[in-house]
Amino acid sequence: MSEFIPVLTKEEIEVQVSLIAQRISTDYKDRELILIGILKGAFIFLSDLIRQLSIPVKVDFMCVSSYGDNTSSSGRIKLTKDVDIEIKNKDILIVEDIVDTGLTLSYLVDYLKSSGAASVRICTLIDKRERRETDVTADYACHTVEKGFLVGYGLDYAEFYRNLPEVYHLKL
Ligand code: IMP
């Protein structure tokens, strides 16, 4: 039987999202910010986050697949949906569900910088430390864990559990 160990309640997520939104609103005041949500995992986090921002922003999405199995990425990353709006000379904030090895974000940061973005920062719901393989660091993180496979609030296991309103550590 799978076990679901609570990591973040609805209320905790709400508080953290609101605090991060305040920081982003202050840091990007008077700048033209573009949020790029990474599909599919970031769709719930992004939709809550943008509604807490007090600055004007544009939103776009990218989709990457990483040829992994269900619980780890292989590092071989393929871009399956690029941004549609112009990012040249713009400030970009990547919104991700979780940073694990960091390989996906390392690829995305390099890609966006080489496409001419003025700056690229990272905002993640979960910063998971143990398996980091790159020097990618999250500029904004709602919650940090050392390890474990998490589901809920956008995070999936084999495409399930994204709809759970809380975040759980899934023990298979
Ligand atoms: P990375 O390239 O290893 O940092 O992996 C990032 C991607 O792997 C995330 O965007 C997720 O799609 C997936 N991932 C990594 N850890 C977890 C987890 O604990 N739960 C759900 N998905 C995860």
Side-chain angles (χ1 to χ4, degrees):
M1 267 294 274
S2 305
E3 212 184 326
F4 291 81
I5 300 156
V7 173
L8 288 174
T9 63
K10 265 160 57 168
E11 292 72 24
E12 285 166 337
I13 294 171
E14 211 176 300
V15 170
Q16 290 310 317
V17 170
S18 158
L19 289 172
I20 291 241
Q22 281 170 32
R23 281 178 53 205
I24 295 169
S25 300
T26 305
D27 294 352
Y28 288 93
K29 195 169 182 294
D30 303 322
R31 285 157 71 182
E32 198 182 310
L33 179 61
I34 300 177
L35 298 186
I36 298 183
I38 309 306
L39 295 171
K40 303 174 198 169
F43 78 107
I44 295 179
F45 176 40
L46 176 71
S47 66
D48 281 346
L49 182 70
I50 50 170
R51 284 177 289 173
Q52 297 285 332
L53 295 173
S54 57
I55 51 168
V57 289
K58 291 183 182 175
V59 181
D60 206 344
F61 294 93
M62 291 175 87
C63 190
V64 288
S65 62
S66 77
Y67 304 108
D69 57 26
N70 284 331
T71 59
S72 68
S73 73
S74 64
R76 283 178 294 131
I77 289 145
K78 185 177 156 206
L79 186 63
T80 56
K81 190 221 167 293
D82 204 345
V83 279
D84 297 315
I85 53 183
E86 181 58 73
I87 57 160
K88 215 169 169 49
N89 301 321
K90 303 288 189 226
D91 293 314
I92 304 293
L93 184 60
I94 300 175
V95 181
E96 180 58 302
D97 54 355
I98 187 163
V99 191
D100 185 14
T101 63
L103 292 165
T104 307
L105 278 167
S106 173
Y107 168 89
L108 287 169
V109 169
D110 287 351
Y111 179 82
L112 292 165
K113 282 187 175 160
S114 66
S115 303
S119 71
V120 183
R121 281 188 179 170
I122 294 164
C123 174
T124 186
L125 175 70
I126 308 283
D127 187 0
K128 187 164 72 175
R129 296 287 172 81
E130 193 191 39
R131 299 200 295 191
R132 195 65 42 88
E133 287 178 33
T134 65
D135 58 5
V136 155
T137 50
D139 300 283
Y140 307 93
C142 285
H143 189 70
T144 300
V145 294
E146 220 23 64
K147 57 186 175 185
F149 195 82
L150 308 190
V151 294
Y153 196 70
L155 290 156
D156 76 304
Y157 172 67
E159 297 299 329
F160 282 107
Y161 312 126
R162 293 193 198 275
N163 58 312
L164 299 177
E166 308 86 11
V167 176
Y168 295 90
H169 178 181
L170 175 64
K171 286 207 159 169
L172 293 167

